[in-house]
């Protein structure tokens, strides 16, 4: 097993296991928000199905108004009225107009629509003062979709517009990649549930709550395996319950301490570690492996410290989950910013500094959230992003250009601080 790997290398190894997304399943189209299409969607419909009016007004032949001007208006007889959803209109008699409403089909023969604001309605007739452009205010049949078009390609992520389109096409079900199922294991004799007595050296096993939320945000389905005591027997029982998942994520215990039984239990059950230890801070004691037998899960042993668990999830687990679900773009956006106050560190590990982002005019200024201890979960609560401080770098001056991994792009809407 490789140890002390670089962040980029570790990420590459992880993503090799998501070269192929999870298999497809059929789901109700309106339940498919955030899923990725596993098939191209071809339309059997033409939309709009016929030429129709984009305005309330009068349908006519533009040529019937040749020579018309405000000084020389022309009256056309109004032959009939066409409403959306009404019966299909008969052909428009020569030299006449039809009253028409938005969305109604153009009568055969009509080629243009004059808006009602630009016409003077008279009993049974309409007076017009200008020549419309040929095709004015007409939505052409098929201008949105033509029958036979591939409207949504395989690999497209389904957002609100796509769900609207599927509905327009009359698609009630759709083939999408399955959501990754993630079994989450907590372990440690000190851990209790949030509503339990947390005195006498006990602490709440909070990681599963943060990690389950991170899974959901990434479109995956978390399964809580509960808290295992630090005994091989109990760990084995809990881990076995997670072997049907796509991914098994343990927080804490995959290290080298005397009471860390996760790794030997995983190995006993058939898991091969691919790396242990990544040259980063927070989060050095990160392990990644896989069950070699068919259908066995991929395995992450995340560090136990709450910040380390969340940061390593961000950098390694989230991209893997997105790829498994069929997304190609799996990384958070990187925002160019300038550093507010100087930072120093020792070389040898890449740091991910939790920062708050301040907008100053066109620039973003990154400020440390304070203590960067991996036990200080407040540093994540306050963070807008993670500032990447390079492995070999030791100093970043105030004002230095930096790159911030954005944890929530809504930050970009933040108001200018004005200073
Ligand atoms: P370990 O990896 O077991 O050495 O744990 C490192 C630190 O993380 C210890 O302070 C643990 O108490 C803490 N820790 C481990 N698991 C969790 C968890 N599920 N939730 C919150 N803190 C944890
Ligand atoms: Mg522990």
């Amino acid at each position: 097993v490789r140890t002390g790997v670089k962040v980029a290398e570790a990420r590459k190894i992880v993503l090799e296991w998501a070269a192929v997304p999870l298999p497809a399943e059929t789901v109700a189209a309106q339940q498919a928000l955030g899923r990725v299409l596993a098939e191209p969607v071809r339309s059997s419909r033409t939309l709009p199905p016929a030429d129709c009016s984009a305005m309330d007004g009068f349908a006519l032949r533009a040529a019937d108004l040749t020579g018309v001007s405000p000084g020389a208006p022309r009256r056309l007889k109004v032959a009939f009225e066409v409403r959306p959803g009404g019966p299909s209109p008969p052909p428009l008699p020569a030299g006449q107009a039809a009253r028409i409403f938005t969305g109604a089909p153009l009568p055969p023969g009509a080629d243009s629509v004059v808006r009602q604001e630009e016409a003077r309605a008279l009993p049974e007739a309409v007076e017009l003062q200008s020549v419309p452009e040929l095709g004015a205010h007409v939505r052409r049949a098929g201008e949105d979709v033509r029958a036979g078009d591939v409207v949504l390609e395989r690999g497209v992520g389904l957002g609100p517009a796509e769900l609207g389109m599927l509905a327009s096409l009359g698609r009630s079900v759709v083939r999408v990649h399955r959501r990754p199922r993630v079994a989450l294991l907590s372990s440690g004799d000190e851990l209790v549930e949030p509503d339990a007595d947390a005195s006498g050296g006990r602490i709440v096993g909070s990681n599963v709550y943060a990690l389950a939320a991170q899974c959901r945000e990434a479109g995956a389905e978390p399964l809580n395996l509960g808290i295992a005591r630090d005994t091989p027997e109990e760990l084995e029982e809990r881990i076995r319950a997670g072997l049907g998942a796509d991914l098994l994520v343990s927080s804490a215990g995959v290290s080298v301490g005397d009471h860390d039984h996760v790794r030997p239990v995983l190995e006993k059950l058939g898991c091969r570690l691919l790396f242990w230890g990544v040259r980063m801070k927070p989060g050095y004691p990160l392990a990644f492996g896989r069950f070699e037998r068919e259908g066995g899960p991929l395995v992450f042993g995340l560090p136990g410290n709450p910040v380390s668990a969340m940061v390593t999830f961000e950098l390694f687990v989230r991209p893997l989950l997105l790829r498994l679900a069929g997304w190609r773009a799996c990384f958070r956006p990187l925002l160019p910013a300038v550093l507010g106050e100087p930072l120093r560190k020792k070389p040898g590990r890449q740091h991910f500094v939790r920062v708050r982002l301040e907008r100053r005019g066109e620039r973003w200024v990154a400020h440390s959230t304070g203590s960067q201890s991996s036990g200080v979960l407040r540093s994540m609560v306050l963070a807008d992003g993670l500032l990447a401080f390079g492995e070999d770098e030791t100093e970043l001056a105030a004002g230095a250009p930096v790159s911030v991994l954005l944890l929530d792009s809504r930050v970009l809407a933040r108001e200018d601080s004005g200073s």
Side-chain angles (χ1 to χ4, degrees):
V1 50
R2 301 176 57 188
T3 58
V5 297
K6 283 174 182 282
V7 171
E9 254 181 289
R11 200 177 232 183
K12 188 163 163 280
I13 295 170
V14 167
L15 290 180
E16 276 166 13
W17 297 95
V20 180
L22 294 173
E25 63 179 356
T26 301
V27 301
Q30 299 314 314
Q31 298 299 318
L33 182 65
R35 307 289 287 272
V36 176
L37 281 178
E39 59 168 8
V41 172
R42 201 177 277 280
S43 178
S44 58
R45 297 181 174 175
T46 292
L47 298 174
D51 290 355
C52 61
S53 180
M55 292 289 167
D56 292 341
F58 297 87
L60 42 72
R61 290 180 183 82
D64 286 343
L65 297 180
T66 306
V68 165
S69 70
R74 186 167 302 164
R75 284 181 185 193
L76 300 182
K77 178 168 186 267
V78 174
F80 50 79
E81 186 174 286
V82 208
R83 295 171 174 274
S88 357
L92 186 68
Q96 299 190 11
R99 178 80 171 114
I100 198 161
F101 298 93
T102 305
L106 234 57
D111 56 29
S112 310
V113 169
V114 174
R115 298 193 302 151
Q116 62 189 29
E117 296 87 332
E118 283 149 19
R120 195 154 76 92
L122 304 165
E124 320 251 306
V126 59
E127 187 180 272
L128 301 141
Q129 304 203 330
S130 61
V131 190
E133 232 176 83
L134 186 63
H137 306 307
V138 175
R139 292 182 187 147
R140 292 280 162 217
E143 79 175 19
D144 192 355
V145 173
R146 287 165 197 277
D149 281 355
V150 171
V151 182
L152 302 169
E153 305 276 355
R154 178 205 305 266
V156 161
L158 299 176
E162 287 77 16
L163 297 200
M165 178 57 80
L166 288 169
S168 298
L169 300 179
R171 290 285 301 249
S172 54
V173 294
V174 71
R175 300 279 290 165
V176 294
H177 291 288
R178 195 159 66 59
R179 286 178 193 281
R181 288 190 290 260
V182 185
L184 296 169
L185 175 72
S186 313
S187 62
D189 292 339
E190 74 281 28
L191 302 182
V192 296
E193 293 295 346
D195 55 358
D197 173 20
S199 61
R202 284 180 290 253
I203 60 160
V204 171
S206 61
N207 286 351
V208 71
Y209 296 93
L211 296 171
Q214 287 180 295
C215 285
R216 281 196 207 93
E217 248 189 11
E221 278 172 22
L223 164 73
N224 185 358
L225 298 176
I227 300 168
R229 300 296 123 210
D230 276 328
T231 69
E233 297 73 25
E234 195 166 332
L235 279 165
E236 180 171 337
E237 190 187 320
R238 304 261 177 184
I239 289 172
R240 280 184 185 281
L243 293 182
D246 300 302
L247 199 59
L248 178 68
V249 174
S250 152
S251 72
V254 188
S255 64
V256 288
D258 285 349
H259 302 287
D260 291 333
H261 299 296
V262 178
R263 183 170 166 180
V265 171
L266 283 170
E267 284 174 343
K268 177 188 164 195
L269 293 176
C271 173
R272 291 281 158 275
L273 286 193
L274 296 161
F275 63 75
W276 183 87
V278 178
R279 298 216 295 269
M280 63 185 285
K281 193 176 176 178
Y284 185 89
L286 170 70
F288 177 67
R290 61 181 278 259
F291 279 82
E292 282 173 327
R293 69 164 176 280
E294 185 68 26
L298 296 169
V299 178
F300 278 99
L302 304 186
N305 279 307
V307 175
S308 311
M310 288 192 74
V311 169
T312 50
F313 184 104
E314 259 305 320
L315 295 176
F316 303 99
V317 187
R318 184 177 181 277
L320 178 75
L321 292 176
L322 290 175
R323 284 278 168 89
L324 288 175
W327 295 92
R328 296 317 301 158
C330 66
F331 299 124
R332 297 276 196 193
L334 294 176
L335 182 73
V338 293
L339 188 60
E341 299 77 25
L343 290 174
R344 284 171 175 281
K345 70 169 180 66
K346 293 194 207 121
R349 291 203 209 171
Q350 184 169 7
H351 283 207
F352 292 90
V353 182
R354 277 77 72 207
V355 292
R356 181 175 55 77
L357 288 163
E358 179 197 4
R359 180 200 282 278
R360 261 194 236 157
E362 295 300 297
R363 311 218 290 185
W364 288 97
V365 184
H367 302 280
S368 164
T369 56
S371 166
Q372 295 291 313
S373 157
S374 59
V376 174
L377 194 51
R378 286 283 297 275
S379 73
M380 282 301 283
V381 170
L382 297 172
D384 299 318
L386 303 175
L387 181 156
F389 192 169
E391 187 176 313
D392 300 323
E393 288 174 303
T394 55
E395 275 190 55
L396 285 173
V402 291
S403 182
V404 176
L405 180 153
L406 264 190
L407 294 170
D408 183 347
S409 47
R410 283 172 289 198
V411 167
L412 296 177
R414 182 165 289 163
E415 279 177 31
D416 198 325
S417 69
S419 51

